[in-house]
Each structure stands twice: as structure tokens, then as C-alpha cells.
Amino acid sequence: MKLPRLLALLTAALALTAFSGTTTAATPALPAGWISLFNGRDLTGWKTPVGDNGHWKVLDGVIDYDARSEAPGDKNLWSEKSYRDFTLRLDWRIKATTGLYPVPTVLPDGTHQKGPDGKDVITPTPNADSGIYLRGTSKAQLNIWCWPIGSGEVYGYRTDAKMPPEVRAAVTPRVNADAPIGEWNRFRIRMQGEVLNVWLNGKHVLKDATLPGVPASGPIGLQKHGSAVQWANIYVRKL
């Protein structure tokens, strides 16, 4: 093999195994200080919903959810362990969308744009929805979807009219950093006390957002919301 070709292959391999940078479903080496929450082979360390019948599974080295869980009640995938203050890093991708969904236009302050009739301005948008639960509560959920505002918002706080305006604004993404549907994305999530920071594909989408009343500790959850989603390279580091 010619040297330039060999160097090109080595460069590509290093790019796939890097812990930071471009999102990928390749399995990177375990960085010092980080704990792997997914071994790439099975769901060890996770609580599969009783009655799920294999809809949460490991497929080609990633966690695959096919959107057809038959489990009664809670259909989400939860980590067996709970976490207090931590940085979470994981890759995800939406496999496909299903039709169009009426989506409101979310303004930077977290409110919805209104039309002349006083109703929300609605735009038909590709339908896909999932998320990541922090500290065991659905209220502290980072949304994964196709909304123009982008993934990473904390829907339960943004839409809570009882929350102060500054809280609702801070949990609204500052930029849409999503990769196209079908491509991999990378979240880095830091939760310390009630303060949340989120980076998506290297962009700081939530900066020092406060989540009043969030539990002090709890498991991490991968949400079932009727969309086919895959997950990979899940690491946590306690702070």
C-alpha cells in the first residue's frame, strides 16, 4: 500500500475514534476520568421497560429504539445508577421522521410567536421527538426533535408559565446546532446543582440555565416518544 493511502486511512481511523469533535457512532477509547454507560454489546447498566419485547435493543453497536414499545406505563430506558453533579456526553441520531407536525415558532425568550389573531404561528415540520431525562425527572428533559429552535431545550421549564422569564429564556436554545436527519449528533451536558449547560455538536446551546426545584440526584433516561432513535458513546463524569 502506498504511503499517502496508508496515511489517509490512519487519519480517517483517528477521526472516527476521537472523543471530541465531529459526531460519530464509532466507539472511542475510554478517556481518563469518564465512566462508560454503554458497552456497545448489550443493555447492561440500564433498566429495560418490563414488557418492552425487544424494541429497546443493541443493533450494530448502538442502542436502537424502533418506536414500537409494547410496555405498559413507563417505556423509557433508565440508567441503573443515579447521578448528582456530572458531565454527560453521548451521541444520538434520529433515524427517520413520520409525516408533518404543527410546530409553533419559539422566540428567543421561550415564548411563542403570535399571529394577528393572537394564536400561535404554526409551521408544519417533520415529525420526530425524543429526549434525555436528567436526574430522573421528565421536567428536566432535553428535547431531541426537528423543531426550528433546535434540540437541547428543556421543554418542561420553557413552557412552565410559573417560571420566571429569565429561566424560560435560558432553557431555550441559543442556536439550532442539529445535524440533518439521519446523521449523528453529539451532546455534552453539564449539570451542577440547579445549573445546566448544554453543547450540541460543539456549539453552546444552553448557557448557565437554572432549573429551579430539579431533584438533587437521579438516573439518566433515554426517552421513548414514538420516534426511531439511536444512541452511542454514552459517558458520564462525576463532578
Side-chain angles (χ1 to χ4, degrees):
M1 182 180 291
K2 294 182 178 180
L3 183 58
R5 173 61 174 167
L6 177 60
L7 290 175
L9 290 174
L10 290 173
T11 301
L14 289 172
L16 285 174
T17 57
F19 180 69
S20 60
T22 305
T23 55
T24 174
T27 304
L30 182 65
W34 293 78
I35 301 168
S36 176
L37 298 186
F38 173 50
N39 61 22
R41 300 183 302 274
D42 54 40
L43 294 177
T44 298
W46 295 87
K47 297 178 181 179
T48 305
V50 176
D52 177 68
N53 291 328
H55 296 290
W56 282 102
K57 58 184 177 296
V58 176
L59 181 67
D60 297 328
V62 303
I63 296 177
D64 180 89
Y65 177 65
D66 62 14
R68 297 193 298 271
S69 177
E70 300 162 14
D74 188 346
K75 298 176 175 62
N76 305 301
L77 190 70
W78 292 95
S79 65
E80 292 182 348
K81 294 183 179 180
S82 292
Y83 299 91
R84 188 178 181 91
D85 292 341
F86 59 86
T87 298
L88 173 69
R89 188 286 220 173
L90 56 77
D91 293 345
W92 58 269
R93 77 179 185 107
I94 296 172
K95 293 172 64 177
T97 59
T98 54
L100 298 177
Y101 184 80
V103 169
T105 300
V106 181
L107 300 174
D109 65 357
T111 62
H112 293 172
Q113 182 180 353
K114 304 293 183 181
D117 58 0
K119 297 181 180 180
D120 288 352
V121 174
I122 298 296
T123 303
T125 302
N127 185 29
D129 198 339
S130 187
I132 302 165
Y133 292 141
L134 305 178
R135 293 191 182 158
T137 175
S138 61
K139 189 175 180 68
Q141 177 206 174
L142 298 185
N143 273 91
I144 291 173
W145 52 15
C146 304
W147 287 29
I149 194 64
S151 296
E153 76 149 34
V154 189
Y155 185 88
Y157 280 84
R158 181 183 67 79
T159 59
D160 186 349
K162 297 179 181 178
M163 288 292 159
E166 59 271 22
V167 169
R168 299 177 67 186
V171 297
T172 305
R174 305 161 75 203
V175 61
N176 183 331
D178 293 54
I181 296 299
E183 294 186 12
W184 285 93
N185 297 266
R186 177 163 294 169
F187 264 142
R188 181 161 63 94
I189 302 160
R190 187 175 70 220
M191 191 77 216
Q192 191 163 18
E194 294 186 338
V195 179
L196 172 67
N197 280 270
V198 178
W199 293 261
L200 175 56
N201 298 330
K203 296 184 179 179
H204 203 169
V205 295
L206 296 189
K207 185 176 182 180
D208 296 333
T210 301
L211 307 183
V214 69
S217 179
I220 293 164
L222 307 182
Q223 188 198 30
K224 173 269 172 194
H225 204 292
S227 297
V229 181
Q230 290 184 328
W231 317 78
N233 302 331
I234 307 175
Y235 295 92
V236 67
R237 180 174 63 185
K238 297 179 181 179
L239 300 179

